[in-house]
């Protein structure tokens, strides 16, 4: 964030009391190039959200590691891509939990499976992580069944151990998943996240909080934690908590100016950056920009960077990183942090 800009700590929607005082919050980019963010660790090489995935991301150069946050029944924050865990754990192989399979409406969509909010932490710890995309990343299935579901606290502890090991600060980049839904069932994410930031004394170089829901970020801002905030942006529709707002509107100069009142970064889908003025517009609003999600497989690359005929063959990921680096992005969110770091070196 530019030093002259202030980030307003807004009172969060209904239920959060009091106006707050504006304070400057800086989110420092890595010297020598864009920040490389390990998306759920190094999800291209290990099952996501596991200690092995986060560790490999840092070993190969990631600056930040990303945990998606969902709660347990006993209100402990754990890290999973979604609260529905049939694709990321071996829960279906546990007959003792067969009766927990159910259908819920999450953010207006019917979802069937097993949900973290129906398990205590102790019960979740009996499960093991599996590769979420086995058809795409078959090689990662060799690690299935080896790792526990991690708590957010365990990710923070791991980041600090890795920081000491590698002599550089590794930041955690938590995302509040479905915050409106969890608030509606009495398991709000923001108070637990704020408590963790305070308990661990996480500073602005150690933690950046992201969400697709502006209300969630404003609730975090009202906690006066002093950590940067990141507004994630989708490609269609809009944030669930603001049904009259579209992501397209949020990416206009006027929309970016509104985001800059409470956040320090935007995180659009990488397709929203291509062929647009979004990087320049974000910088003009005083925001940093980190597009997602960079992957190496052909199906996730633009046609001009694909090699071979297989959808899951690796294409020219280096050319894609180089293109976005030339466009001036401040970070990249990637399943392959090692490749992003190599591309950053030139």
């Amino acid at each position: 964030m530019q030093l002259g800009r202030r980030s307003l700590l807004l009172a969060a929607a209904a239920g959060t009391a009091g106006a707050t005082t504006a304070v400057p919050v800086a989110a420092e980019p890595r010297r020598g190039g864009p920040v490389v963010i390990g998306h759920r660790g190094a999800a291209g090489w290990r099952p996501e959200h596991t200690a092995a995935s986060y560790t490999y991301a840092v070993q190969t150069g990631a600056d930040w590691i990303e945990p998606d946050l969902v709660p347990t029944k006993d209100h402990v924050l754990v890290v999973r891509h979604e609260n529905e865990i049939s694709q990321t754990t071996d829960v279906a192989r546990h007959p003792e939990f067969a009766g927990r399979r159910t259908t819920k409406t999450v953010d207006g969509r019917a979802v069937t499976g097993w949900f973290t909010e129906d398990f205590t932490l102790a019960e979740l710890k009996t499960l093991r992580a599996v590769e979420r995309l086995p058809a795409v990343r078959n090689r990662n299935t060799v690690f299935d069944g080896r790792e526990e579901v991690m708590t957010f606290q365990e990710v923070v502890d791991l980041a600090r151990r890795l920081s000491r090991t590698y002599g550089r600060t590794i930041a955690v980049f938590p995302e509040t998943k479905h915050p409106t839904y969890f608030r509606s069932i009495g398991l709000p994410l923001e108070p637990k996240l704020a408590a963790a930031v305070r308990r661990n004394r996480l500073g602005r170089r150690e933690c950046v909080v992201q969400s697709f829901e502006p209300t969630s970020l404003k609730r975090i801002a009202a906690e006066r934690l002093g950590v940067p905030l990141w507004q994630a942006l989708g490609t269609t529709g809009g944030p669930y908590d603001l049904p009259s707002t579209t992501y397209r509107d949020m990416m206009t100069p006027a929309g970016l100016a509104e985001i800059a009142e409470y956040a320090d970064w935007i995180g659009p889908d990488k397709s929203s950056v291509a062929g647009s003025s979004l990087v320049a517009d974000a910088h003009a609003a005083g925001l940093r920009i980190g597009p997602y999600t960079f992957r190496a497989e052909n199906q996730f690359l633009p046609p001009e960077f694909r090699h071979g005929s297989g959808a899951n063959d690796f294409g020219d990921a280096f050319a894609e990183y180089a293109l976005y680096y030339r466009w001036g992005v401040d970070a990249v969110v990637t399943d392959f942090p090692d490749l992003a770091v190599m591309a950053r070196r030139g």
Side-chain angles (χ1 to χ4, degrees):
M1 179 189 302
Q2 297 173 348
L3 293 178
R5 188 172 68 84
R6 302 172 73 192
S7 181
L8 298 180
L9 301 181
L10 301 180
T16 302
T20 56
T21 305
V23 296
V25 177
E28 299 295 337
R30 185 186 186 281
R31 291 184 179 181
V35 174
V36 171
I37 303 171
H39 185 233
R40 308 170 198 162
W45 300 118
R46 300 289 188 275
E48 63 192 34
H49 292 313
T50 60
S53 183
Y54 292 128
T55 299
Y56 190 73
V58 174
Q59 287 174 333
T60 56
D63 304 301
W64 304 357
I65 52 177
E66 185 215 29
D68 294 326
L69 304 184
V70 293
T72 65
K73 183 178 182 179
D74 44 350
H75 212 173
V76 178
L77 296 182
V78 294
V79 296
R80 290 287 89 193
H81 172 53
E82 291 287 345
N83 55 322
E84 199 289 298
I85 54 174
S86 63
Q87 291 185 308
T88 61
T89 73
D90 62 357
V91 64
R93 301 175 193 169
H94 286 251
E96 68 272 26
F97 298 135
R100 306 273 180 99
R101 190 172 188 269
T102 187
T103 298
K104 300 189 179 192
T105 301
V106 180
D107 292 357
R109 185 171 65 92
V111 182
T112 298
W114 289 264
F115 298 82
T116 60
E117 64 266 29
D118 295 333
F119 292 77
T120 65
L121 177 61
E123 289 172 329
L124 281 180
K125 284 292 189 179
T126 68
L127 307 180
R128 293 296 178 266
V130 300
E131 170 56 42
R132 185 174 65 89
L133 301 172
V136 178
R137 293 167 179 166
N138 177 261
R139 62 189 177 275
N140 291 3
T141 61
V142 70
F143 301 104
D144 285 359
R146 298 183 62 88
E147 303 256 355
E148 291 184 351
V149 174
M150 298 182 74
T151 66
F152 177 52
Q153 182 62 54
E154 288 170 338
V155 176
V156 172
D157 293 342
L158 177 62
R160 286 194 157 157
R161 288 198 302 272
L162 293 170
S163 295
R164 292 192 295 270
T165 297
Y166 292 97
R168 55 194 177 87
T169 299
I170 306 302
V172 292
F173 182 46
E175 178 184 347
T176 59
K177 298 288 289 194
H178 309 298
T180 295
Y181 166 75
F182 286 120
R183 206 175 299 123
S184 75
I185 63 172
L187 294 171
L189 302 174
E190 295 86 4
K192 292 292 186 178
L193 176 54
V197 171
R198 289 195 178 97
R199 181 175 65 250
N200 291 282
R201 299 182 179 181
L202 295 174
R204 67 186 188 181
R205 296 179 187 275
E206 295 178 290
C207 181
V208 178
V209 176
Q210 63 168 322
S211 185
F212 281 90
E213 295 192 12
T215 299
S216 184
L217 291 178
K218 292 174 184 179
R219 286 174 178 264
I220 292 294
E223 295 281 353
R224 306 188 185 195
L225 300 173
V227 298
L229 304 180
W230 174 302
Q231 177 65 62
L233 301 165
T235 55
T236 60
Y240 184 74
D241 58 326
L242 300 177
S244 63
T245 300
T246 69
Y247 290 125
R248 182 183 295 274
D249 289 339
M250 294 175 76
M251 288 186 278
T252 65
L256 294 170
E258 290 185 16
I259 292 172
E261 293 179 351
Y262 62 88
D264 307 275
W265 290 77
I266 60 166
D269 185 277
K270 63 179 184 174
S271 65
S272 297
V273 174
S276 78
S277 61
L278 187 57
V279 172
D281 291 344
H283 289 163
L287 293 162
R288 292 202 167 98
I289 179 170
Y292 68 88
T293 302
F294 290 81
R295 300 179 170 103
E297 295 93 349
N298 279 333
Q299 64 180 295
F300 303 117
L301 290 168
E304 62 269 27
F305 297 142
R306 297 172 188 169
H307 288 171
S309 58
N312 299 324
D313 293 344
F314 279 18
D316 192 352
F318 291 115
E320 185 181 40
Y321 288 120
L323 181 63
Y324 281 79
Y325 291 169
R326 286 198 302 272
W327 285 341
V329 299
D330 302 290
V332 290
V333 181
T334 175
D335 283 3
F336 296 89
D338 53 339
L339 304 185
V341 170
M342 291 177 70
R344 186 172 66 187
R345 292 173 184 152

